[in-house]
Amino acid sequence: QKEVEQNSGPLSVPEGAIASLNCTYSDRVSQSFFWYRQYSGKSPELIMSIYSNGDKEDGRFTAQLNKASQYVSLLIRDSQPSDSATYLCAVNRLGGTSYGKLTFGQGTILTVHP
Amino acid sequence: DTGVSQDPRHKITKRGQNVTFRCDPISEHNRLYWYRQTLGQGPEFLTYFQNEAQLEKSRLLSDRFSAERPKGSFSTLEIQRTEQGDSAMYLCASSSSRVTSYGEQFFGPGTRLTVL
């Protein structure tokens, strides 16, 4: 089992729809959870971080965390063609010997079509 | 621009040559990470520095790879005797170890290495 798994893509949604991206992780001591957006040929850009169970909203983005189910998701409301990118889920745990290194999923490609 | 910077952005080399990449982190960040990313995969951790100390190194990292962070500022990643399998995007990220930080890491633009 991979440490971080994302739902297989690609995911295609029409403009204005809600895009839902999912991620599960295997390490129960994971503490911080991140969503990065990566455009083709570019580096990852941090768009959301979440540390506590529940929802966290930032503009059109909502991150949801359920530690009991080891599940984190990202919702993008009113999807725009500019949201078309690869979305990477990343987890880390602070303290001990992990030093906060991020473990990434393989990414989900999102395409928003007009 | 106060973000993470990397140099060069692209490097093409022949198999067997040595290459060195540089990363300048965000100025107030004392944690610095190197990752490698191949097509269709998420970034993979290589090594970590806190200030000038290299505290963690991936078991997947070959002995041909070495990294330094003299004086706790910029960092260099050297690959000796490059192989075609080393072709990838090499990413540098930095973060703060302040109590209020949850480990958010900010990435530089990356160095794309092509080994012919």
Side-chain angles (χ1 to χ4, degrees), chain A residues 36-56:
Chain A
Y36 286 84
R37 178 175 62 198
Q38 186 172 30
Y39 292 114
S40 180
K42 303 297 185 183
S43 63
E45 173 193 9
L46 179 65
I47 55 171
M48 286 291 286
S49 55
I50 187 167
Y51 323 110
S52 304
N53 280 325
D55 295 357
K56 179 182 178 183

Side-chain angles (χ1 to χ4, degrees), chain A residues 2 31-32 34 36 38 41-46 49 51 88 92 94 97-107, chain B residues 9 31 33 35 37 40-45 48 50 55-56 89 91 101-110 112:
Chain A
K2 292 183 180 179
Q31 293 179 287
S32 302
F34 307 94
Y36 286 84
Q38 186 172 30
K42 303 297 185 183
S43 63
E45 173 193 9
L46 179 65
S49 55
Y51 323 110
L88 296 162
N92 76 4
L94 302 175
T97 59
S98 71
Y99 300 113
K101 68 182 179 186
L102 293 175
T103 301
F104 284 86
Q106 76 276 23
Chain B
R9 298 289 300 275
R31 291 181 172 176
Y33 303 81
Y35 294 84
Q37 186 178 26
Q41 301 298 315
E44 177 184 47
F45 170 77
Y48 160 71
Q50 178 149 330
L55 297 183
E56 189 172 3
M89 173 81 88
L91 295 162
S101 168
Y102 284 86
E104 296 91 344
Q105 293 183 23
F106 300 91
F107 284 84
R112 182 167 297 283

